[in-house]
Amino acid sequence: MDLVEQHRADVLVVIPLYKHSMLVAEAIDSCLRQEGGVSVRILVVNDGCPFPETTEILSAFSARFPDRFVAIRQTNSGLSAARNAAIELGLRVWSDWRALY
């Protein structure tokens, strides 16, 4: 398997996050456990969440799954801006995904 094939993302899961840090770990874990031969990549946009555990949780996932998980932080800009930021970054990081969720 060549490098491009190894890092191909069939599905990009975008998770905008604000004040739900205790639920995000479960959501990310669920995405990572998907089966069926579909390559899933997760991109979380921390939309200015004020809770310190948000950063801790996202940092832990980034360290454990650097090839499948990316988290970014931005000033609180709202749901649409968070989604758009994720899609924009997703096109740069994993430009070959075929579906967005």
Side-chain angles (χ1 to χ4, degrees), residues 2-58:
D2 66 12
L3 187 60
V4 172
E5 193 174 330
Q6 286 177 347
H7 294 288
R8 198 179 100 214
D10 294 320
V11 177
L12 176 62
V13 177
V14 169
I15 303 174
L17 176 61
Y18 184 76
K19 292 189 174 182
H20 290 286
S21 50
M22 299 318 289
L23 299 174
V24 75
E26 185 178 341
I28 295 166
D29 189 51
S30 176
C31 292
L32 290 169
R33 287 184 288 125
Q34 293 303 304
E35 297 177 359
V38 175
S39 173
V40 177
R41 301 294 185 263
I42 303 127
L43 206 157
V44 175
V45 178
N46 177 348
D47 194 35
C49 182
F51 302 143
E53 60 267 15
T54 298
T55 302
E56 294 168 14
I57 291 166
L58 298 180

Short mmCIF file of all heavy atoms in Angstrom, two decimals, residues 2-58:
data_model
loop_
_atom_site.label_atom_id
_atom_site.label_comp_id
_atom_site.label_asym_id
_atom_site.label_seq_id
_atom_site.Cartn_x
_atom_site.Cartn_y
_atom_site.Cartn_z
N ASP A 2 0.67 2.15 -0.94
CA ASP A 2 1.52 3.33 -0.99
C ASP A 2 1.04 4.40 0.00
O ASP A 2 -0.02 4.29 0.60
CB ASP A 2 1.60 3.90 -2.41
CG ASP A 2 0.28 4.45 -2.92
OD1 ASP A 2 -0.66 4.61 -2.13
OD2 ASP A 2 0.20 4.75 -4.13
N LEU A 3 1.85 5.44 0.16
CA LEU A 3 1.58 6.47 1.16
C LEU A 3 0.26 7.17 0.92
O LEU A 3 -0.50 7.43 1.85
CB LEU A 3 2.73 7.48 1.17
CG LEU A 3 2.69 8.53 2.26
CD1 LEU A 3 2.73 7.86 3.62
CD2 LEU A 3 3.86 9.49 2.11
N VAL A 4 -0.08 7.47 -0.33
CA VAL A 4 -1.33 8.16 -0.63
C VAL A 4 -2.51 7.30 -0.22
O VAL A 4 -3.47 7.76 0.39
CB VAL A 4 -1.41 8.53 -2.13
CG1 VAL A 4 -2.78 9.07 -2.49
CG2 VAL A 4 -0.32 9.51 -2.49
N GLU A 5 -2.45 6.03 -0.52
CA GLU A 5 -3.54 5.12 -0.17
C GLU A 5 -3.68 4.98 1.34
O GLU A 5 -4.79 4.89 1.87
CB GLU A 5 -3.30 3.76 -0.82
CG GLU A 5 -4.52 2.86 -0.78
CD GLU A 5 -4.29 1.60 -1.57
OE1 GLU A 5 -3.53 1.62 -2.55
OE2 GLU A 5 -4.87 0.57 -1.18
N GLN A 6 -2.58 4.97 2.06
CA GLN A 6 -2.62 4.83 3.51
C GLN A 6 -3.32 6.02 4.16
O GLN A 6 -3.96 5.87 5.18
CB GLN A 6 -1.21 4.73 4.08
CG GLN A 6 -0.54 3.43 3.83
CD GLN A 6 0.88 3.43 4.37
OE1 GLN A 6 1.43 4.47 4.70
NE2 GLN A 6 1.48 2.26 4.43
N HIS A 7 -3.17 7.20 3.60
CA HIS A 7 -3.71 8.40 4.22
C HIS A 7 -4.99 8.90 3.56
O HIS A 7 -5.43 9.99 3.84
CB HIS A 7 -2.65 9.50 4.24
CG HIS A 7 -1.50 9.14 5.12
ND1 HIS A 7 -1.60 9.13 6.49
CD2 HIS A 7 -0.25 8.74 4.83
CE1 HIS A 7 -0.45 8.76 7.01
NE2 HIS A 7 0.38 8.51 6.03
N ARG A 8 -5.55 8.09 2.69
CA ARG A 8 -6.79 8.48 2.03
C ARG A 8 -7.92 8.51 3.03
O ARG A 8 -8.03 7.68 3.91
CB ARG A 8 -7.11 7.50 0.91
CG ARG A 8 -8.11 8.08 -0.07
CD ARG A 8 -8.39 7.12 -1.17
NE ARG A 8 -9.66 6.52 -0.78
CZ ARG A 8 -10.00 5.27 -1.02
NH1 ARG A 8 -9.19 4.46 -1.60
NH2 ARG A 8 -11.16 4.83 -0.65
N ALA A 9 -8.79 9.50 2.90
CA ALA A 9 -9.94 9.61 3.79
C ALA A 9 -11.21 9.48 2.96
O ALA A 9 -11.47 10.31 2.10
CB ALA A 9 -9.92 10.95 4.51
N ASP A 10 -11.96 8.42 3.19
CA ASP A 10 -13.23 8.27 2.49
C ASP A 10 -14.26 9.25 3.04
O ASP A 10 -15.02 9.86 2.28
CB ASP A 10 -13.77 6.84 2.64
CG ASP A 10 -12.88 5.83 1.93
OD1 ASP A 10 -12.39 6.12 0.83
OD2 ASP A 10 -12.67 4.75 2.49
N VAL A 11 -14.29 9.40 4.35
CA VAL A 11 -15.28 10.26 5.00
C VAL A 11 -14.56 11.21 5.96
O VAL A 11 -13.74 10.79 6.77
CB VAL A 11 -16.31 9.42 5.80
CG1 VAL A 11 -17.29 10.33 6.53
CG2 VAL A 11 -17.04 8.46 4.89
N LEU A 12 -14.90 12.48 5.85
CA LEU A 12 -14.41 13.48 6.78
C LEU A 12 -15.56 13.84 7.71
O LEU A 12 -16.61 14.30 7.27
CB LEU A 12 -13.92 14.72 6.05
CG LEU A 12 -13.46 15.88 6.94
CD1 LEU A 12 -12.27 15.46 7.80
CD2 LEU A 12 -13.14 17.10 6.11
N VAL A 13 -15.36 13.61 9.00
CA VAL A 13 -16.37 13.95 10.01
C VAL A 13 -15.95 15.28 10.64
O VAL A 13 -14.86 15.40 11.18
CB VAL A 13 -16.48 12.86 11.09
CG1 VAL A 13 -17.48 13.28 12.17
CG2 VAL A 13 -16.89 11.53 10.46
N VAL A 14 -16.83 16.26 10.55
CA VAL A 14 -16.59 17.59 11.11
C VAL A 14 -17.41 17.73 12.38
O VAL A 14 -18.62 17.48 12.38
CB VAL A 14 -17.00 18.68 10.09
CG1 VAL A 14 -17.01 20.05 10.73
CG2 VAL A 14 -16.07 18.64 8.89
N ILE A 15 -16.74 18.13 13.46
CA ILE A 15 -17.43 18.32 14.73
C ILE A 15 -17.15 19.73 15.24
O ILE A 15 -16.06 20.01 15.74
CB ILE A 15 -16.96 17.28 15.79
CG1 ILE A 15 -17.17 15.86 15.28
CG2 ILE A 15 -17.67 17.52 17.12
CD1 ILE A 15 -16.60 14.78 16.19
N PRO A 16 -18.13 20.64 15.09
CA PRO A 16 -17.99 21.95 15.71
C PRO A 16 -18.23 21.78 17.21
O PRO A 16 -19.13 21.05 17.62
CB PRO A 16 -19.11 22.78 15.08
CG PRO A 16 -19.69 21.95 13.99
CD PRO A 16 -19.32 20.54 14.28
N LEU A 17 -17.42 22.45 18.03
CA LEU A 17 -17.51 22.22 19.46
C LEU A 17 -17.53 23.52 20.25
O LEU A 17 -16.65 24.36 20.09
CB LEU A 17 -16.30 21.38 19.90
CG LEU A 17 -16.14 21.10 21.38
CD1 LEU A 17 -17.33 20.32 21.93
CD2 LEU A 17 -14.85 20.35 21.63
N TYR A 18 -18.56 23.64 21.08
CA TYR A 18 -18.65 24.77 22.00
C TYR A 18 -19.45 24.33 23.21
O TYR A 18 -20.64 24.01 23.11
CB TYR A 18 -19.31 25.98 21.33
CG TYR A 18 -19.35 27.20 22.23
CD1 TYR A 18 -18.21 27.94 22.44
CD2 TYR A 18 -20.51 27.57 22.87
CE1 TYR A 18 -18.22 29.05 23.28
CE2 TYR A 18 -20.54 28.67 23.70
CZ TYR A 18 -19.39 29.42 23.90
OH TYR A 18 -19.41 30.51 24.72
N LYS A 19 -18.79 24.27 24.36
CA LYS A 19 -19.42 23.93 25.64
C LYS A 19 -20.01 22.52 25.74
O LYS A 19 -20.96 22.31 26.47
CB LYS A 19 -20.49 24.97 26.02
CG LYS A 19 -19.91 26.32 26.34
CD LYS A 19 -20.97 27.22 26.92
CE LYS A 19 -20.38 28.53 27.39
NZ LYS A 19 -21.38 29.39 27.99
N HIS A 20 -19.50 21.59 25.02
CA HIS A 20 -19.96 20.20 25.16
C HIS A 20 -18.76 19.27 25.25
O HIS A 20 -18.73 18.19 24.67
CB HIS A 20 -20.86 19.80 23.99
CG HIS A 20 -22.18 20.47 24.01
ND1 HIS A 20 -23.17 20.13 24.88
CD2 HIS A 20 -22.66 21.50 23.27
CE1 HIS A 20 -24.22 20.91 24.68
NE2 HIS A 20 -23.93 21.76 23.72
N SER A 21 -17.78 19.67 26.03
CA SER A 21 -16.53 18.92 26.08
C SER A 21 -16.70 17.51 26.63
O SER A 21 -15.95 16.61 26.27
CB SER A 21 -15.48 19.68 26.88
OG SER A 21 -15.99 20.10 28.11
N MET A 22 -17.66 17.28 27.48
CA MET A 22 -17.84 15.94 28.04
C MET A 22 -18.47 14.98 27.03
O MET A 22 -18.32 13.77 27.15
CB MET A 22 -18.68 16.00 29.32
CG MET A 22 -18.03 16.85 30.42
SD MET A 22 -16.24 16.64 30.63
CE MET A 22 -16.15 15.04 31.34
N LEU A 23 -19.15 15.50 26.03
CA LEU A 23 -19.76 14.64 25.02
C LEU A 23 -18.85 14.40 23.82
O LEU A 23 -19.03 13.43 23.09
CB LEU A 23 -21.07 15.27 24.53
CG LEU A 23 -22.15 15.47 25.60
CD1 LEU A 23 -23.33 16.23 25.03
CD2 LEU A 23 -22.58 14.14 26.18
N VAL A 24 -17.89 15.28 23.61
CA VAL A 24 -17.07 15.17 22.40
C VAL A 24 -16.19 13.92 22.40
O VAL A 24 -15.99 13.32 21.35
CB VAL A 24 -16.24 16.45 22.15
CG1 VAL A 24 -15.06 16.56 23.09
CG2 VAL A 24 -15.81 16.52 20.71
N ALA A 25 -15.70 13.50 23.54
CA ALA A 25 -14.86 12.29 23.58
C ALA A 25 -15.64 11.08 23.09
O ALA A 25 -15.12 10.26 22.33
CB ALA A 25 -14.33 12.05 24.99
N GLU A 26 -16.89 10.98 23.49
CA GLU A 26 -17.74 9.87 23.05
C GLU A 26 -17.99 9.94 21.53
O GLU A 26 -17.95 8.93 20.84
CB GLU A 26 -19.06 9.90 23.80
CG GLU A 26 -19.97 8.74 23.50
CD GLU A 26 -21.26 8.77 24.29
OE1 GLU A 26 -21.34 9.48 25.32
OE2 GLU A 26 -22.20 8.09 23.87
N ALA A 27 -18.22 11.14 21.02
CA ALA A 27 -18.45 11.31 19.59
C ALA A 27 -17.21 10.94 18.77
O ALA A 27 -17.31 10.23 17.77
CB ALA A 27 -18.87 12.75 19.29
N ILE A 28 -16.05 11.40 19.22
CA ILE A 28 -14.81 11.10 18.52
C ILE A 28 -14.52 9.61 18.56
O ILE A 28 -14.18 9.00 17.55
CB ILE A 28 -13.64 11.90 19.12
CG1 ILE A 28 -13.84 13.40 18.89
CG2 ILE A 28 -12.30 11.43 18.53
CD1 ILE A 28 -12.92 14.28 19.74
N ASP A 29 -14.67 9.02 19.73
CA ASP A 29 -14.43 7.58 19.89
C ASP A 29 -15.34 6.78 18.97
O ASP A 29 -14.92 5.81 18.34
CB ASP A 29 -14.61 7.18 21.34
CG ASP A 29 -14.18 5.76 21.59
OD1 ASP A 29 -13.05 5.40 21.21
OD2 ASP A 29 -14.98 4.99 22.17
N SER A 30 -16.59 7.17 18.86
CA SER A 30 -17.54 6.49 17.98
C SER A 30 -17.08 6.56 16.53
O SER A 30 -17.14 5.56 15.80
CB SER A 30 -18.93 7.12 18.12
OG SER A 30 -19.83 6.54 17.21
N CYS A 31 -16.59 7.70 16.11
CA CYS A 31 -16.09 7.84 14.74
C CYS A 31 -14.87 6.96 14.50
O CYS A 31 -14.75 6.31 13.45
CB CYS A 31 -15.72 9.29 14.46
SG CYS A 31 -17.11 10.42 14.41
N LEU A 32 -13.97 6.92 15.46
CA LEU A 32 -12.75 6.13 15.32
C LEU A 32 -13.02 4.63 15.28
O LEU A 32 -12.25 3.87 14.71
CB LEU A 32 -11.79 6.44 16.47
CG LEU A 32 -11.15 7.83 16.44
CD1 LEU A 32 -10.45 8.11 17.77
CD2 LEU A 32 -10.18 7.95 15.28
N ARG A 33 -14.11 4.19 15.87
CA ARG A 33 -14.44 2.76 15.92
C ARG A 33 -15.25 2.27 14.72
O ARG A 33 -15.65 1.10 14.68
CB ARG A 33 -15.19 2.44 17.21
CG ARG A 33 -14.29 2.47 18.44
CD ARG A 33 -15.01 2.04 19.71
NE ARG A 33 -15.94 3.10 20.10
CZ ARG A 33 -17.24 2.93 20.32
NH1 ARG A 33 -17.79 1.76 20.19
NH2 ARG A 33 -18.01 3.95 20.66
N GLN A 34 -15.50 3.13 13.75
CA GLN A 34 -16.29 2.71 12.60
C GLN A 34 -15.60 1.58 11.85
O GLN A 34 -14.38 1.57 11.71
CB GLN A 34 -16.53 3.89 11.65
CG GLN A 34 -17.41 4.96 12.26
CD GLN A 34 -18.75 4.43 12.71
OE1 GLN A 34 -19.50 3.84 11.93
NE2 GLN A 34 -19.06 4.62 13.99
N GLU A 35 -16.39 0.65 11.37
CA GLU A 35 -15.89 -0.50 10.63
C GLU A 35 -16.50 -0.52 9.24
O GLU A 35 -17.35 0.28 8.93
CB GLU A 35 -16.23 -1.79 11.38
CG GLU A 35 -15.59 -1.88 12.75
CD GLU A 35 -16.01 -3.13 13.49
OE1 GLU A 35 -16.81 -3.93 12.97
OE2 GLU A 35 -15.53 -3.32 14.62
N GLY A 36 -16.06 -1.46 8.44
CA GLY A 36 -16.66 -1.64 7.13
C GLY A 36 -15.78 -1.20 5.98
O GLY A 36 -16.24 -1.02 4.87
N GLY A 37 -14.51 -0.99 6.25
CA GLY A 37 -13.60 -0.65 5.18
C GLY A 37 -13.63 0.81 4.75
O GLY A 37 -13.04 1.16 3.75
N VAL A 38 -14.31 1.65 5.50
CA VAL A 38 -14.36 3.07 5.18
C VAL A 38 -13.34 3.80 6.04
O VAL A 38 -13.31 3.66 7.26
CB VAL A 38 -15.78 3.64 5.44
CG1 VAL A 38 -15.81 5.13 5.22
CG2 VAL A 38 -16.80 2.94 4.56
N SER A 39 -12.51 4.59 5.40
CA SER A 39 -11.50 5.36 6.10
C SER A 39 -12.13 6.66 6.62
O SER A 39 -12.62 7.46 5.84
CB SER A 39 -10.35 5.67 5.15
OG SER A 39 -9.45 6.54 5.74
N VAL A 40 -12.12 6.85 7.94
CA VAL A 40 -12.75 8.01 8.56
C VAL A 40 -11.68 8.91 9.16
O VAL A 40 -10.79 8.44 9.86
CB VAL A 40 -13.74 7.58 9.66
CG1 VAL A 40 -14.33 8.79 10.36
CG2 VAL A 40 -14.84 6.71 9.08
N ARG A 41 -11.78 10.19 8.87
CA ARG A 41 -10.93 11.20 9.48
C ARG A 41 -11.84 12.17 10.22
O ARG A 41 -12.94 12.46 9.77
CB ARG A 41 -10.13 11.98 8.42
CG ARG A 41 -9.22 11.10 7.57
CD ARG A 41 -8.12 10.48 8.40
NE ARG A 41 -7.19 9.74 7.60
CZ ARG A 41 -7.22 8.43 7.43
NH1 ARG A 41 -8.15 7.71 8.00
NH2 ARG A 41 -6.31 7.83 6.69
N ILE A 42 -11.36 12.69 11.34
CA ILE A 42 -12.18 13.56 12.20
C ILE A 42 -11.49 14.91 12.33
O ILE A 42 -10.29 14.97 12.60
CB ILE A 42 -12.39 12.94 13.59
CG1 ILE A 42 -13.04 11.57 13.44
CG2 ILE A 42 -13.24 13.84 14.46
CD1 ILE A 42 -12.30 10.50 14.14
N LEU A 43 -12.26 15.96 12.16
CA LEU A 43 -11.75 17.31 12.32
C LEU A 43 -12.67 18.06 13.27
O LEU A 43 -13.85 18.24 12.99
CB LEU A 43 -11.72 18.00 10.96
CG LEU A 43 -10.70 19.11 10.82
CD1 LEU A 43 -10.37 19.33 9.38
CD2 LEU A 43 -11.13 20.37 11.48
N VAL A 44 -12.15 18.43 14.43
CA VAL A 44 -12.93 19.14 15.44
C VAL A 44 -12.51 20.61 15.43
O VAL A 44 -11.32 20.92 15.44
CB VAL A 44 -12.71 18.55 16.85
CG1 VAL A 44 -13.45 19.38 17.90
CG2 VAL A 44 -13.18 17.11 16.89
N VAL A 45 -13.51 21.49 15.42
CA VAL A 45 -13.25 22.91 15.54
C VAL A 45 -13.74 23.35 16.91
O VAL A 45 -14.92 23.37 17.20
CB VAL A 45 -13.99 23.72 14.46
CG1 VAL A 45 -13.73 25.21 14.65
CG2 VAL A 45 -13.54 23.28 13.08
N ASN A 46 -12.77 23.66 17.77
CA ASN A 46 -13.08 24.22 19.08
C ASN A 46 -13.43 25.68 18.84
O ASN A 46 -12.56 26.51 18.61
CB ASN A 46 -11.88 24.08 20.02
CG ASN A 46 -12.12 24.70 21.37
OD1 ASN A 46 -13.07 25.43 21.58
ND2 ASN A 46 -11.21 24.42 22.29
N ASP A 47 -14.70 25.99 18.89
CA ASP A 47 -15.19 27.33 18.55
C ASP A 47 -15.19 28.24 19.78
O ASP A 47 -16.20 28.79 20.18
CB ASP A 47 -16.60 27.21 17.94
CG ASP A 47 -17.05 28.48 17.25
OD1 ASP A 47 -16.20 29.16 16.65
OD2 ASP A 47 -18.25 28.79 17.31
N GLY A 48 -14.02 28.35 20.39
CA GLY A 48 -13.86 29.23 21.54
C GLY A 48 -14.46 28.72 22.83
O GLY A 48 -14.86 29.49 23.70
N CYS A 49 -14.51 27.40 22.98
CA CYS A 49 -15.07 26.83 24.21
C CYS A 49 -14.24 27.28 25.42
O CYS A 49 -13.02 27.16 25.41
CB CYS A 49 -15.09 25.31 24.12
SG CYS A 49 -15.82 24.53 25.57
N PRO A 50 -14.91 27.77 26.47
CA PRO A 50 -14.18 28.29 27.63
C PRO A 50 -13.71 27.22 28.62
O PRO A 50 -12.99 27.54 29.57
CB PRO A 50 -15.21 29.21 28.29
CG PRO A 50 -16.53 28.58 27.95
CD PRO A 50 -16.35 28.01 26.57
N PHE A 51 -14.09 25.98 28.44
CA PHE A 51 -13.77 24.94 29.40
C PHE A 51 -12.37 24.36 29.15
O PHE A 51 -12.07 23.92 28.04
CB PHE A 51 -14.79 23.81 29.36
CG PHE A 51 -16.21 24.25 29.61
CD1 PHE A 51 -17.25 23.66 28.91
CD2 PHE A 51 -16.50 25.24 30.53
CE1 PHE A 51 -18.56 24.05 29.15
CE2 PHE A 51 -17.81 25.64 30.77
CZ PHE A 51 -18.84 25.05 30.07
N PRO A 52 -11.51 24.33 30.17
CA PRO A 52 -10.14 23.81 29.98
C PRO A 52 -10.11 22.33 29.60
O PRO A 52 -9.20 21.90 28.89
CB PRO A 52 -9.47 24.03 31.34
CG PRO A 52 -10.51 24.45 32.29
CD PRO A 52 -11.74 24.82 31.52
N GLU A 53 -11.09 21.56 30.03
CA GLU A 53 -11.07 20.13 29.68
C GLU A 53 -11.25 19.91 28.18
O GLU A 53 -10.85 18.87 27.66
CB GLU A 53 -12.12 19.34 30.47
CG GLU A 53 -13.54 19.78 30.28
CD GLU A 53 -14.01 20.81 31.30
OE1 GLU A 53 -13.19 21.41 32.00
OE2 GLU A 53 -15.23 21.00 31.39
N THR A 54 -11.82 20.87 27.47
CA THR A 54 -11.96 20.75 26.02
C THR A 54 -10.59 20.63 25.38
O THR A 54 -10.34 19.73 24.58
CB THR A 54 -12.72 21.96 25.45
OG1 THR A 54 -14.03 21.99 26.00
CG2 THR A 54 -12.81 21.89 23.94
N THR A 55 -9.69 21.52 25.73
CA THR A 55 -8.33 21.49 25.19
C THR A 55 -7.62 20.21 25.58
O THR A 55 -6.93 19.59 24.76
CB THR A 55 -7.54 22.72 25.69
OG1 THR A 55 -8.23 23.89 25.28
CG2 THR A 55 -6.13 22.73 25.13
N GLU A 56 -7.80 19.76 26.81
CA GLU A 56 -7.15 18.53 27.27
C GLU A 56 -7.64 17.32 26.48
O GLU A 56 -6.83 16.48 26.06
CB GLU A 56 -7.43 18.33 28.75
CG GLU A 56 -6.79 19.37 29.64
CD GLU A 56 -7.31 19.33 31.07
OE1 GLU A 56 -7.97 18.35 31.46
OE2 GLU A 56 -7.04 20.30 31.80
N ILE A 57 -8.93 17.21 26.29
CA ILE A 57 -9.51 16.08 25.56
C ILE A 57 -9.02 16.08 24.11
O ILE A 57 -8.58 15.04 23.59
CB ILE A 57 -11.05 16.12 25.62
CG1 ILE A 57 -11.53 15.82 27.04
CG2 ILE A 57 -11.67 15.14 24.61
CD1 ILE A 57 -12.99 16.14 27.29
N LEU A 58 -9.08 17.22 23.46
CA LEU A 58 -8.67 17.30 22.06
C LEU A 58 -7.18 17.05 21.90
O LEU A 58 -6.76 16.38 20.94
CB LEU A 58 -9.07 18.65 21.46
CG LEU A 58 -10.57 18.94 21.44
CD1 LEU A 58 -10.84 20.30 20.83
CD2 LEU A 58 -11.34 17.84 20.71
#
